[in-house]
Amino acid sequence: MKKFKYSEITPENIYKNRRKFIKNMGLAAGSMFIGQNLVTSASANTNKEELKLTDYRYVTTYNNYYEFGTGKSNPVERSQKFKTTPWDVVIDGEVENPIKISMDEILEMFPSEERIYKLRCVEGWSMVIPWLGFPLNKILKKALPTNKAKFVKFISVLDPEQMIGQRFPILDWPYKEGLRIDEAMHDLTILVTGLYGKKLPNQNGAPLRLMVPWKYGFKSSKAIVNIKLVEKMPTSSWMKASPNEYGFYSNVNPTVDHPRWSQATERVIGGGIISPRIPTTMFNGYGDEVANLYTGMDLKKKFL
Ligand code: MTE
């Protein structure tokens, strides 16, 4: 398997720009900076205009990460000692150029930028988070997918010694998710390396997680170690755990209820004592950008 040498392919200016970017992030951290970005993001998502960033403390203490337990506070309580260095990610399967790349190389080669996306959890709550990341398509293109690559499978780390939840058969470990190749190649789909201008906290999926803003939050696999290009539609851990409740596509859709509850509204985490509910929007507000990926498909069919 070919290992990428950063110096072979990354022009020096990208590296320098990344440095500058990270420096700016550090200097600019504060409410002014956050406010500006909220305004910027509003143009890309009609739903964003009324949205406020969720406080860092909620983003990092109210989590779903079943490898560390099923309680919302389990991930922050139990993941602090989880080792994320060294960390390699393998991109293989239906590719001409399989890659094994270290997390350090990823950070050097693919400069992170800020993207403010709302994470809409299938449980009926949401948070607006300033993520740091880069389009997944940038790394996929380096592996040169073959024409048999119709889907992308994401495999998270398997480490029951460090992850207490993996000692129990709660899900089909390691955590698995999938996207169709055009969804994976879409510019809105990012690999996340940080949030709020900082390194990604362990409880949020360090060192590398997926974020697909028009899909339910469970599509955003944490602690990814393998990205596999495949010909057949992969079965995700959620599809396997509960085939009557979870399908492959899982696009945010307020008109299709989860079999056990409605998806019409969402509770805004950290929105005050009363925890306001707001209407959930089709594709989480990204219809203009992504609806065309699903032309001709019946979007009412059980999460698809
Ligand atoms: N990734 C892994 N590896 N394990 C998980 O249990 N939970 C998913 C997703 N990614 C999960 C995961 C679910 S259900 C949600 S809603 C989001 O992570 C939560 O992300 P957050 O904790 O950063 O808000």
Side-chain angles (χ1 to χ4, degrees), residues 227-289:
I227 300 174
K228 225 177 240 313
L229 288 283
V230 294
E231 195 171 3
K232 299 223 167 75
M233 182 186 281
T235 304
S236 71
S237 291
W238 290 106
M239 289 162 75
K240 199 153 182 191
S242 200
N244 298 326
E245 295 181 337
Y246 301 108
F248 177 77
Y249 286 94
S250 303
N251 293 320
V252 172
N253 187 342
T255 70
V256 178
D257 293 342
H258 183 280
R260 287 183 281 142
W261 58 81
S262 159
Q263 295 292 4
T265 62
E266 62 205 54
R267 184 165 57 91
V268 179
I269 298 292
I273 300 166
I274 308 162
S275 253
R277 294 196 80 89
I278 58 168
T280 288
T281 49
M282 191 67 199
F283 297 115
N284 207 19
Y286 290 95
D288 288 351
E289 287 90 351

Side-chain angles (χ1 to χ4, degrees), residues 58-60 62-69 72 75 119-123 125 127 129 131 155-157 163 166 171 173-177 195 200 203-205 209-211 216-224 238:
Y58 293 114
V59 174
T60 55
Y62 186 91
N63 300 102
N64 275 338
Y65 199 169
Y66 280 17
E67 283 88 335
F68 292 103
K72 292 285 180 280
L119 183 141
R120 186 358 178 132
C121 180
V122 77
E123 293 166 340
W125 51 264
M127 297 192 199
I129 301 170
W131 305 98
I155 304 168
S156 298
V157 71
M163 298 173 135
Q166 288 187 337
L171 285 175
W173 307 117
Y175 193 94
K176 292 171 213 67
E177 260 305 342
L195 53 82
L200 194 60
Q203 60 271 33
N204 295 93
R209 61 104 48 97
L210 181 67
M211 181 63 203
Y216 289 108
F218 62 84
K219 279 274 167 189
S220 58
S221 301
K222 297 179 171 182
I224 293 170
W238 290 106

Side-chain angles (χ1 to χ4, degrees), residues 1-297:
M1 187 170 295
K2 185 174 178 275
K3 210 165 182 306
F4 254 131
K5 265 218 201 97
Y6 157 69
S7 54
E8 277 172 8
I9 27 174
T10 310
E12 205 183 332
N13 62 335
I14 295 182
Y15 172 75
K16 283 198 180 133
N17 281 340
R18 179 178 169 269
R19 277 291 158 86
K20 210 162 98 195
F21 173 76
I22 295 291
K23 208 170 141 217
N24 288 343
M25 296 291 301
L27 290 175
S31 56
M32 274 288 287
F33 171 73
I34 288 160
Q36 272 169 17
N37 276 280
L38 198 53
V39 174
T40 319
S41 73
S43 57
N45 181 351
T46 46
N47 190 30
K48 288 251 169 74
E49 268 132 322
E50 319 105 51
L51 299 177
K52 294 211 163 60
L53 290 188
T54 308
D55 279 1
Y56 182 81
R57 68 188 158 119
Y58 293 114
V59 174
T60 55
T61 57
Y62 186 91
N63 300 102
N64 275 338
Y65 199 169
Y66 280 17
E67 283 88 335
F68 292 103
T70 55
K72 292 285 180 280
S73 61
N74 289 158
V76 64
E77 288 160 3
R78 297 176 179 169
S79 70
Q80 297 315 306
K81 288 193 182 140
F82 178 63
K83 250 185 112 240
T84 57
T85 46
W87 193 276
D88 286 334
V89 179
V90 170
I91 301 152
D92 62 359
E94 288 297 344
V95 294
E96 277 170 35
N97 183 35
I99 295 167
K100 183 175 186 182
I101 184 169
S102 74
M103 201 51 219
D104 287 344
E105 288 166 318
I106 289 178
L107 292 171
E108 300 291 1
M109 284 179 51
F110 306 101
S112 287
E113 59 189 72
E114 182 162 273
R115 296 276 183 100
I116 298 176
Y117 288 157
K118 173 152 66 67
L119 183 141
R120 186 358 178 132
C121 180
V122 77
E123 293 166 340
W125 51 264
S126 65
M127 297 192 199
V128 183
I129 301 170
W131 305 98
L132 286 179
F134 61 90
L136 168 67
N137 63 37
K138 293 206 170 164
I139 202 165
L140 291 182
K141 282 177 191 162
K142 300 277 185 204
L144 306 175
T146 70
N147 57 12
K148 281 190 182 167
K150 303 277 195 278
F151 295 91
V152 184
K153 183 171 178 178
F154 301 86
I155 304 168
S156 298
V157 71
L158 182 67
D159 191 344
E161 275 193 20
Q162 291 198 79
M163 298 173 135
I164 191 174
Q166 288 187 337
R167 297 177 211 163
F168 305 92
I170 317 164
L171 285 175
D172 175 40
W173 307 117
Y175 193 94
K176 292 171 213 67
E177 260 305 342
L179 293 175
R180 209 171 57 191
I181 187 80
D182 55 345
E183 298 176 325
M185 287 294 187
H186 198 285
D187 261 327
L188 287 176
T189 302
I190 56 168
L191 283 174
V192 170
T193 58
L195 53 82
Y196 265 103
K198 298 180 190 175
K199 226 173 105 219
L200 194 60
N202 283 353
Q203 60 271 33
N204 295 93
L208 194 69
R209 61 104 48 97
L210 181 67
M211 181 63 203
V212 194
W214 69 96
K215 294 184 181 268
Y216 289 108
F218 62 84
K219 279 274 167 189
S220 58
S221 301
K222 297 179 171 182
I224 293 170
V225 290
N226 185 193
I227 300 174
K228 225 177 240 313
L229 288 283
V230 294
E231 195 171 3
K232 299 223 167 75
M233 182 186 281
T235 304
S236 71
S237 291
W238 290 106
M239 289 162 75
K240 199 153 182 191
S242 200
N244 298 326
E245 295 181 337
Y246 301 108
F248 177 77
Y249 286 94
S250 303
N251 293 320
V252 172
N253 187 342
T255 70
V256 178
D257 293 342
H258 183 280
R260 287 183 281 142
W261 58 81
S262 159
Q263 295 292 4
T265 62
E266 62 205 54
R267 184 165 57 91
V268 179
I269 298 292
I273 300 166
I274 308 162
S275 253
R277 294 196 80 89
I278 58 168
T280 288
T281 49
M282 191 67 199
F283 297 115
N284 207 19
Y286 290 95
D288 288 351
E289 287 90 351
V290 301
N292 64 328
L293 298 179
Y294 308 101
T295 311
M297 278 172 80

